[in-house]
Amino acid sequence: MNFDKELELRVKKANQAIEECLPKDEGMPGNLVESMRYSVLVGGKRVRPVLMGELFEIFGGKGKELRFIQSAMELIHTASLCHDDLPALDNDLLRRGKKTTHAQFGEAMGILAGDALLNYAYELLFDGINESENKENALNAARILSKKSGYLGMLGGQSVDVEHEKTGIKGDQLEILEYINEKKTAALIEGAMMTGAALAGADCEQLKLIEKIGNRIGLAFQIQDDILDVTGTPQSIGKSVFSDMKNNKETYVAIVGIEEASKRVIDFTKEAVALTDELPGNTEFLKEMISYLALRKN
Ligand code: FPP
Ligand code: MG
């Protein structure tokens, strides 16, 4: 298998779905639609829709609803980035190689674009349910995605992260850092993968296994993100470097050092790859994708 080519194909398909689902910039006065479109279309690796599509495929999904749910997923992720970059949070000016939404359109529009993307994601989720021939599967998928991005998932992790900027995390409180990483980052990756499988009718046991795989991918993904924050350049990662240090963020890199952090990325990745052996279907691309995420440079 030529992984790069296969990945390119899947990213292209995800981008087509997202572009078709985005609101058109016509008729509405003001900058809201433009800032929504800008935030999504400036770039992004589309990791979550690709993972969702792959699990859908592995479980033999066939319906037309996938594209709506993939787009909803990417819009929820993008909304979180819009808000994460705001002055009240990480106060970053560069994202996906371009100005952040608030840097381009002003702080108010940074808030509103994030809100509008999040709200519109739910319209797309309903569209997906509507398109689906198996409403029970689609409802299950929509519920998983809602929960994984909510107060028990991404938003919960983000809030603990923000609260610890003031107090810091001591070296013996690694479990707090693990909680933050598990929720603010892994939850959405778990959600993407579980949603793809749920849409295709995966059962409860299978969803639990996928959640575990997504968790290990997500933990590796966030530690790699922390490593890139100190080893990358604005050109290579498309966002500001040393953002964590600037915001007094404790990360694995700050607490245990780059070498130990890199080791954890490898360990979580190996565990995720090994767990995919328990999945049905062809998991060749998924395995390669997991390794690609651990070795990513942006
Ligand atoms: C980059 O994803 C994003 C992360 C590593 C997750 C960080 C967590 C948050 C920003 C928390 C959510 C924030 C709020 C306000 C709820 P990526 O590397 O896939 O980015 P890309 O789509 O640009 O490639
Ligand atoms: Mg942040």
Side-chain angles (χ1 to χ4, degrees):
M1 184 191 57
N2 181 336
F3 173 73
D4 290 344
K5 214 170 134 216
E6 291 297 319
L7 177 62
E8 200 185 312
L9 226 110
R10 285 160 174 80
V11 170
K12 199 170 157 199
K13 259 175 88 178
N15 273 326
Q16 271 167 0
I18 293 163
E19 277 165 38
E20 277 170 34
C21 285
L22 273 179
K24 306 281 169 284
D25 194 7
E26 51 196 19
M28 191 184 157
N31 280 332
L32 184 62
V33 177
E34 193 188 340
S35 60
M36 290 166 78
R37 291 180 59 87
Y38 173 89
S39 311
V40 177
L41 296 176
V42 282
K45 298 181 288 298
R46 312 307 193 209
V47 166
R48 296 153 191 81
V50 168
L51 284 171
M52 186 188 292
E54 201 52 27
L55 268 294
F56 186 72
E57 191 76 29
I58 287 172
F59 280 86
K62 295 270 177 283
K64 287 178 289 176
E65 70 277 23
L66 174 72
R67 42 209 299 286
F68 294 100
I69 317 285
Q70 282 178 306
S71 304
M73 169 83 254
E74 187 65 14
L75 264 51
I76 292 173
H77 164 60
T78 305
S80 83
L81 302 182
C82 275
H83 284 178
D84 193 55
D85 292 329
L86 285 169
L89 286 100
D90 287 355
N91 196 17
D92 276 318
L93 299 174
L94 189 70
R95 166 79 70 181
R96 294 175 164 177
K98 297 272 165 52
K99 281 186 177 177
T100 52
T101 309
H102 76 89
Q104 178 73 7
F105 295 95
E107 187 177 353
M109 206 47 78
I111 296 170
L112 291 172
D115 284 345
L117 284 169
L118 186 56
N119 197 83
Y120 184 59
Y122 282 81
E123 281 189 49
L124 292 173
L125 275 185
F126 283 111
D127 288 341
I129 295 167
N130 217 11
E131 278 292 325
S132 172
E133 280 172 18
N134 189 323
K135 299 279 184 271
E136 203 179 317
N137 287 349
L139 281 167
N140 191 24
R143 186 170 195 288
I144 292 170
L145 195 48
S146 309
K147 187 168 176 181
K148 290 292 180 184
S149 46
Y151 80 99
L152 289 174
M154 176 181 70
L155 285 164
Q158 178 70 3
S159 95
V160 177
D161 190 20
V162 166
E163 285 184 324
H164 277 85
E165 276 176 24
K166 294 182 203 85
T167 56
I169 297 170
K170 309 284 172 299
D172 59 352
Q173 291 181 302
L174 267 176
E175 72 277 9
I176 294 179
L177 192 56
E178 203 130 312
Y179 178 88
I180 292 171
N181 290 354
E182 197 159 292
K183 297 298 172 187
K184 80 167 182 184
T185 304
L188 225 51
I189 292 179
E190 292 161 18
M193 296 175 70
M194 291 168 77
T195 301
L199 278 179
D203 67 29
C204 215
E205 280 307 304
Q206 290 168 324
L207 289 174
K208 270 192 204 142
L209 169 66
I210 295 161
E211 187 172 38
K212 193 167 169 186
I213 299 172
N215 177 271
R216 303 309 188 265
I217 298 174
L219 290 173
F221 192 86
Q222 183 56 52
I223 299 172
Q224 183 63 11
D225 206 70
D226 298 340
I227 294 173
L228 292 173
D229 187 62
V230 294
T231 59
T233 63
Q235 289 74 25
S236 68
I237 65 172
K239 50 188 182 181
S240 341
V241 291
F242 300 113
S243 172
D244 297 326
M245 226 179 270
K246 188 186 80 191
N247 289 307
N248 294 322
K249 287 267 164 70
E250 293 288 12
T251 66
Y252 268 105
V253 175
I255 295 179
V256 300
I258 289 199
E259 211 168 298
E260 182 59 27
S262 307
K263 193 177 161 298
R264 289 189 80 101
V265 173
I266 293 169
D267 289 347
F268 283 132
T269 299
K270 278 191 184 151
E271 201 186 335
V273 171
L275 285 165
T276 59
D277 282 339
E278 294 170 40
L279 288 172
N282 181 355
T283 56
E284 199 186 345
F285 176 83
L286 179 62
K287 281 197 174 84
E288 296 245 10
M289 176 86 185
I290 297 171
S291 304
Y292 150 83
L293 289 176
L295 298 171
R296 75 199 163 94
K297 293 282 173 268
N298 71 336

